Amino acid sequence: MSTNSTALQSSAVINEAVQTLHDGGLVAFPTETVYGLGADARNPAAIQKIFTAKGRPPNHPLIVHLAAPEKYDVTQIDWAALVSPWVRDLSEDALRMINAFWPGPLTLVFKRDKSVLNEITGGQDTIAIRAPAHPMAQELLRKFKGGVVAPSANRFGKVSPTSAADVRSEFEGMLDLMILDGGDCEVGIESTIIDLSSGNHALLLRPGAITPSDILAKTGIKVYKPGEDKYSHDEAITPRVSGSLKAHYAPTTPLRLYAPGRVLDALSEFPDIKSRVAVGVWDSDSSLSEDGHPSVHFEEVTMPSDSRTFASRLYRSLRDLDEQGWDLILFPEPPAGEEWDGVRDRLQRACFGSGPSSSSHASN
Ligand code: TXA
Ligand code: MG
């Protein structure tokens, strides 16, 4: 098949997806972070289907995805006009962040316009928006000519999908879902979320590929992190970020992190010693150089020591390892440093929710 006919074919598939969205159906589509499960953001019945398909509690708000009309020069895009139907008061700071990072893996939370459906926001006064960079997502959104709400295309509490096949396996046998195949996701973990809705301080709600330092460097805007002086939010009251539940992104095989050189310590939590243990080892280390353990068979799995590469493969390796029938999976603790915050956050939650009973944790 020539490149040209491939392009034509995918265009026809995208047109069908646009029609499905207009008809109130769901479409799974690729973004550069993870695959999303999309619905028309102005159609309450369609949005309801997302919550049913995912098994997601109704008070967990969704992100609206937008795309700018095709432009040769990204600096010419009028983002303010694009977000205005959704957002009340777009601040100077917000516009600077948008101009610096959209399209890209950055979600911003604003005070919402009154026309925004309660089904999206869980009744909150704010709205989360992002403009994905993936060309197929952009083509879909452009042709649809409207906002598409899309959570990650996984069942609630499970590992987010980074390929079309992952999405298929999440909903196999329960939902006949249209899935656009845009290959493997480049970023591999969900977008960074920054809350701008207070009008005072920018707050980091979910770490991702774009870090507070990246934002400071490109815009001069300081983003506050949990635990920092000006940071406060009421997540204990409302789960504004569902990924902020302690257990999330969880495999069914028990998963733990080990400190450098302390693989055996990590095993002490499992006294009825597991016989088949997969151990992640940094590609920069030659091997575990463990003394070994009489009844445990360790198998080493190499992990990228570059944070971006690690993130791009994180969910892929969790899914693959989960299917290989290990008794226990051990990952090396990510090193200190902001560029690892996104990965560290997802891994800690995955550990907490992991194991055969993960669904009971995840629905807490
Ligand atoms: O990378 C991503 O953001 C992916 C792709 C598909 O775009 N989407 C994604 O959606 O991760 P989801 O639903 O799995 O996570 C979105 C997060 C949720 O944790 C939700 O609570 C938070 O965004 N969120 C949505 N609206 C919000 C709001 N108004 N205020 C605070 N958090 C919000
Ligand atoms: Mg999700």
Side-chain angles (χ1 to χ4, degrees), residues 256-263 266 279-282 288 330-334:
R256 292 293 180 273
L257 303 183
Y258 70 89
R262 318 217 50 119
V263 170
V279 186
V281 181
W282 298 116
L288 273 181
L330 296 177
F331 266 52
E333 259 172 30

Side-chain angles (χ1 to χ4, degrees), residues 16-17 20-21 23-29 37-38 49-50 52-54 153 155 164 167-180:
E16 195 189 326
T20 303
L21 291 174
D23 294 344
L26 302 182
V27 173
F29 64 97
L37 183 62
K49 289 182 188 167
I50 290 182
T52 307
K54 279 189 65 100
R155 303 266 309 145
V167 179
R168 207 165 293 121
S169 74
E170 280 291 311
F171 297 102
E172 197 107 71
M174 56 165 294
L175 185 64
D176 184 22
L177 182 64
M178 170 156 203
I179 304 171
L180 295 177

Side-chain angles (χ1 to χ4, degrees), residues 183-230:
D184 293 341
C185 300
E186 240 177 85
V187 174
I189 58 172
E190 300 82 352
S191 58
T192 305
I193 304 182
I194 311 275
D195 187 352
L196 300 173
S197 67
S198 81
N200 299 317
H201 302 292
L203 305 179
L204 179 68
L205 295 186
R206 180 172 74 183
I210 294 173
T211 64
S213 312
D214 296 334
I215 293 171
L216 186 66
K218 277 206 169 181
T219 66
I221 299 166
K222 159 101 176 133
V223 173
Y224 289 86
K225 297 195 253 184
E228 273 186 321
D229 216 14
K230 303 252 173 14

Side-chain angles (χ1 to χ4, degrees), residues 226-293:
E228 273 186 321
D229 216 14
K230 303 252 173 14
Y231 194 97
S232 76
H233 71 95
D234 51 357
E235 87 171 355
I237 303 161
T238 320
R240 298 199 298 182
V241 179
S242 63
S244 72
L245 293 179
K246 243 171 132 189
H248 220 82
Y249 319 109
T252 49
T253 313
L255 169 73
R256 292 293 180 273
L257 303 183
Y258 70 89
R262 318 217 50 119
V263 170
L264 294 183
D265 289 0
L267 278 181
S268 61
E269 199 192 322
F270 300 87
D272 44 340
I273 276 312
K274 307 287 170 177
S275 59
R276 290 190 72 237
V277 179
V279 186
V281 181
W282 298 116
D283 58 9
S284 49
D285 292 347
S286 50
S287 87
L288 273 181
S289 56
E290 273 295 329
D291 295 334
H293 189 286

